[in-house]
């Protein structure tokens, strides 16, 4: 999926074709190209390729991009970029923690780059964060190369566990105030799609939430056309398991799309913008760059077309009836 291409400034295909010298006025550049769907590709210029590698589970790359700074790429899918990852991580973390009356311990499924832990550890009420990622090489890679999260990785409140999230949740007695799904997208052959299923949510995850606990997960593309890939069925699946379910979305420039999250609980999730702002002021160290109360209420007010689609969604995510975003994992 993700490819590095050398072009002469004209869209002329992938590869370094030395048989044609670039015309005057054009500069040969190195580009990262990601195939978003069959007839659509997204690419941007690179300053350099900082590191590439592979683990048992996925291919790994760290690119220095011209428009978005350092970018982490797993299995050919951009995971986060330096200039706008704060939008994704603030949206993933803060709504759930702010809706909880007093969050003290949190379990992260995935989150190996450390940015989710970083945002969690800004909350003054937090005593413990367990970050459980299956891929030790990704975690070590991010510790070494993502300087922005260095402080989080060294925070005494963070416990890093290398394990499958299902096995870790089922194997321990501990329960949590908040569980966060910061998993890679469900792609065919990827390591994570089984952690988006109804059985997992119902039998493994929900029993590990304390009374009043909240679950939130990233839920893939949520654009006017792309939301039917996985966003709508993840929402519908969580509606089968939890009493209150809130979908919301935001534009992530480096993803070239609107992105979605779904928050779920058996307790109401209905704070006003003013209440959210007050809790942010009291609980969070330093101000958010993106999210405040009005922004969250705006993010959870989806367009008419997407609302109708989610309300009419009937598909329930199971291992036998999984949906995937476009692309494929290392083991496909």
């Amino acid at each position: 999926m993700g490819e590095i291409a050398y072009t002469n400034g004209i869209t002329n295909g992938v590869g370094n074709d030395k048989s044609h010298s670039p015309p005057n006025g054009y500069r040969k550049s190195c580009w990262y190209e990601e195939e978003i769907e069959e007839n659509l590709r997204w690419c941007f210029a690179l300053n350099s390729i900082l590191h590439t590698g592979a683990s048992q589970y996925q291919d790994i790359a760290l690119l220095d991009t011209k428009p978005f700074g350092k970018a982490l790429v797993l299995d050919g899918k951009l995971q986060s970029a330096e200039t706008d990852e704060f939008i994704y991580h603030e949206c993933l973390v803060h709504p759930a923690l702010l809706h909880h009356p007093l969050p003290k311990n949190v379990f992260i499924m995935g989150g190996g780059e450390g940015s989710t832990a970083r945002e969690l550890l800004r909350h003054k009420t937090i005593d413990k964060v367990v970050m459980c990622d299956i891929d030790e090489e990704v975690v070590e890679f991010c510790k070494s190369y993502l300087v922005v999260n260095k402080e989080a990785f060294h925070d005494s409140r963070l416990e890093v566990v290398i394990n499958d999230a299902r096995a870790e949740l089922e194997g321990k007695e501990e329960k949590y105030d908040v569980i966060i799904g910061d998993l890679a997208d469900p792609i065919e052959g990827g390591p994570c799609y089984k952690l988006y299923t109804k059985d997992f949510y119902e039998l493994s995850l929900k029993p590990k939430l304390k009374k009043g606990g909240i679950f939130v997960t990233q839920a893939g593309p949520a654009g006017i056309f792309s939301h039917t890939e996985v966003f709508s069925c993840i929402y519908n699946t969580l509606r089968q398991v939890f009493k209150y379910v809130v979908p919301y979305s935001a534009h992530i420039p480096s993803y070239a799309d609107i992105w979605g999250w779904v928050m779920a609980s058996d307790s109401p999730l209905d704070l006003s913008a003013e209440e959210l702002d007050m809790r942010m002021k009291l609980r969070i160290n330093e101000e958010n760059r993106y999210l405040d109360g009005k922004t969250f209420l705006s993010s959870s007010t989806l367009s008419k077309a997407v609302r109708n689609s989610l309300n009419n969604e009937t598909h329930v995510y199971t291992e036998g009836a999984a949906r995937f975003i476009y692309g494929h994992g290392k083991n496909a």
Side-chain angles (χ1 to χ4, degrees):
M1 285 294 109
E3 297 178 346
I4 307 299
Y6 296 89
T7 68
N8 60 10
I10 303 175
T11 304
N12 60 355
V14 176
N16 186 5
D17 185 357
K18 296 182 179 179
S19 63
H20 297 88
S21 59
N24 291 335
Y26 288 93
R27 180 184 300 172
K28 185 170 288 189
S29 300
C30 180
W31 293 77
Y32 168 75
E33 182 178 88
E34 182 172 320
E35 192 168 357
I36 297 174
E37 54 187 66
E38 187 173 358
N39 296 309
L40 181 62
R41 293 186 175 191
W42 168 237
C43 63
F44 38 83
L46 300 180
N47 291 313
S48 62
I49 301 167
L50 299 174
H51 187 81
T52 60
S55 73
Q56 175 185 351
Y57 301 100
Q58 52 206 338
D59 294 319
I60 310 165
L62 185 67
L63 311 176
D64 182 10
T65 77
K66 291 187 177 180
F68 301 118
K70 292 179 183 176
L72 176 67
V73 178
L74 300 179
D75 274 341
K77 292 288 184 182
L78 180 72
Q79 301 301 303
S80 70
E82 190 174 25
T83 60
D84 64 6
E85 58 87 3
F86 69 94
I87 304 173
Y88 171 95
H89 290 102
E90 287 184 14
C91 287
L92 175 66
V93 168
H94 299 305
L97 264 73
L98 293 167
H99 277 85
H100 194 283
L102 189 65
K104 292 187 175 183
N105 68 335
V106 180
F107 185 92
I108 308 170
M109 303 191 302
E113 72 175 88
S115 298
T116 296
R118 180 197 71 216
E119 292 300 315
L120 285 167
L121 293 166
R122 291 175 55 210
H123 282 254
K124 300 173 185 178
T125 64
I126 290 297
D127 293 329
K128 181 180 180 181
V129 173
V130 178
M131 186 182 84
C132 181
D133 199 293
I134 197 171
D135 198 330
E136 185 173 14
E137 291 187 48
V138 168
V139 174
E140 292 303 318
F141 178 92
C142 293
K143 278 185 181 180
S144 298
Y145 289 96
L146 300 183
V147 179
V148 67
N149 296 328
K150 183 176 181 179
E151 186 175 335
F153 275 116
H154 287 88
D155 194 302
S156 61
R157 294 171 292 168
L158 177 65
E159 177 185 349
V160 178
V161 176
I162 304 302
N163 198 2
D164 173 77
R166 182 198 294 262
E168 187 65 21
L169 286 170
E170 292 177 348
K172 299 291 178 63
E173 295 297 322
E174 188 170 4
K175 293 188 176 184
Y176 301 91
D177 295 313
V178 177
I179 297 177
I180 295 178
D182 187 18
L183 300 163
D185 300 318
I187 58 175
E188 194 166 3
C192 298
Y193 79 92
K194 294 180 182 179
L195 302 183
Y196 291 92
T197 63
K198 180 176 182 288
D199 279 353
F200 172 69
Y201 292 148
E202 190 169 43
L203 304 177
S204 301
L205 186 147
K206 189 175 180 180
K208 297 302 179 180
L209 283 172
K210 296 177 185 177
K211 184 177 180 180
I214 299 173
F215 171 62
V216 63
T217 183
Q218 80 89 14
I224 190 71
F225 301 120
S226 60
H227 73 275
T228 56
E229 287 184 303
V230 295
F231 181 58
S232 60
C233 71
I234 291 172
Y235 166 72
N236 185 57
T237 301
L238 284 167
R239 285 201 301 176
Q240 315 306 308
V241 179
F242 290 94
K243 187 174 181 180
Y244 301 96
V245 181
V246 178
Y248 57 103
S249 64
H251 178 238
I252 312 292
S254 63
Y255 290 178
D257 206 347
I258 305 294
W259 211 255
W261 302 266
V262 183
M263 181 168 58
S265 179
D266 282 340
S267 297
L269 301 167
D270 56 2
L271 294 181
S272 67
E274 292 74 21
E275 289 171 314
L276 287 168
D277 284 337
M278 180 59 69
R279 291 189 178 189
M280 287 183 203
K281 185 176 180 180
L282 293 173
R283 294 186 186 182
I284 302 178
N285 291 315
E286 302 178 1
E287 287 192 19
N288 289 335
R289 296 171 63 188
Y290 177 79
L291 192 78
D292 63 4
K294 287 183 178 179
T295 303
F296 176 72
L297 293 190
S298 174
S299 296
S300 57
T301 304
L302 305 177
S303 69
K304 177 182 177 180
V306 175
R307 289 199 314 272
N308 287 342
S309 182
L310 265 61
N311 289 337
N312 293 322
E313 180 63 76
T314 60
H315 189 90
V316 176
Y317 206 108
T318 66
E319 288 190 29
R323 285 186 182 175
F324 304 104
I325 70 165
Y326 187 79
H328 58 79
K330 185 176 180 180
N331 298 314

